[in-house]
Amino acid sequence: MGRLVQARAADVEVLAGVLASAYRDDPVWAWLMPRDREWRLRLLFRGHLAQQIPYGRVWTDDGRRVVCVWAEPGAWKLPTAYLLRNAGTLVRAGRRELPRIGARLLALERRHPMPAHWYVEFLGTRAEAQGAGLGGVVLGGLLERADAEGRPVFLESSNERNLGFYQRLGFVTERRLTFGSGPEMWAMWRHGKRG
């Protein structure tokens, strides 16, 4: 098993590769980026991780095989300044699917719940390390913190195959998210427990 560690700036490249590997066969990302997916995901995640690590929002294991990006209550929405700073990366990674990607992100943002909660933005394990419990290690750190505060945790799963994993950690599927086009997703809550 691994040990939970906070990611550093030096980890960006390897962790972007972890997330690109983890989401390579994801149904939603396969629809959003049908060609050159792993390269484009790596580019997208590289920029995102570089922006989130200074805020302490990126966690990994000591072997750098799994990544969890989470946002504290009230900080789930990406600010306009972030989008402007990363516009070039978004255009390069999105290519001609950029309107599709943007539409899905906007749809998710409009449906995002408003009560104060911790938000799991991304959780991914390198493909060859999946099934070893590493996702539970890095997500467990957030769940302990949320429980200590008595706060809920929210996420959207883009892969039905992962629902059982989240349910074993106490998440409940609140609703199935359907869209005008593309694969469905699942909104999941884990309600806080006072420790």
Side-chain angles (χ1 to χ4, degrees):
M1 197 68 73
R3 183 176 58 86
L4 177 69
V5 295
Q6 193 167 16
R8 303 179 317 256
D11 296 323
V12 166
E13 191 63 37
V14 69
L15 296 183
V18 169
L19 287 174
S21 172
Y23 285 95
R24 177 181 53 220
D25 297 324
D26 179 88
V28 172
W29 286 103
W31 174 73
L32 291 172
M33 296 179 170
R35 293 170 295 286
D36 303 320
R37 185 174 319 114
E38 193 160 355
W39 176 85
R40 293 165 72 188
L41 285 170
R42 184 183 292 267
L43 178 65
L44 191 68
F45 286 128
R46 186 183 303 131
H48 189 61
L49 292 169
Q51 294 289 322
Q52 298 301 319
I53 284 174
Y55 294 101
R57 295 175 178 155
V58 182
W59 295 81
T60 185
D61 70 316
D62 50 6
R64 308 307 191 266
R65 297 163 292 178
V66 60
V67 183
C68 188
V69 182
W70 66 59
E72 58 275 9
W76 61 268
K77 189 173 183 178
L78 293 177
T80 303
Y82 169 92
L83 297 172
L84 292 173
R85 274 194 308 273
N86 289 290
T89 299
L90 292 169
V91 169
R92 282 194 310 280
R95 296 184 181 174
R96 63 181 150 204
E97 287 86 28
L98 187 59
R100 179 188 296 181
I101 295 167
R104 177 57 67 103
L105 293 176
L106 286 172
L108 287 172
E109 185 174 299
R110 280 193 302 272
R111 297 175 187 195
H112 199 101
M114 290 301 134
H117 61 276
W118 285 89
Y119 177 53
V120 180
E121 187 174 4
F122 295 105
L123 174 64
T125 304
R126 186 175 294 284
E128 60 272 13
Q130 290 175 0
L134 295 170
V137 169
V138 295
L139 190 52
L142 167 62
L143 300 181
E144 286 177 17
R145 187 169 179 179
D147 285 350
E149 296 175 2
R151 290 206 186 261
V153 181
F154 176 74
L155 63 85
E156 298 110 349
S157 179
S158 56
N159 193 333
E160 188 173 16
R161 189 181 71 193
N162 297 331
L163 298 182
F165 164 77
Y166 291 121
Q167 289 165 350
R168 285 190 296 279
L169 292 172
F171 284 87
V172 175
T173 302
E174 177 194 56
R175 68 187 187 279
R176 187 180 300 236
L177 302 172
T178 58
F179 304 88
S181 60
E184 60 194 1
M185 296 174 71
W186 293 265
M188 303 188 80
W189 279 100
R190 183 180 185 274
H191 295 284
K193 305 172 192 172
R194 285 267 177 215

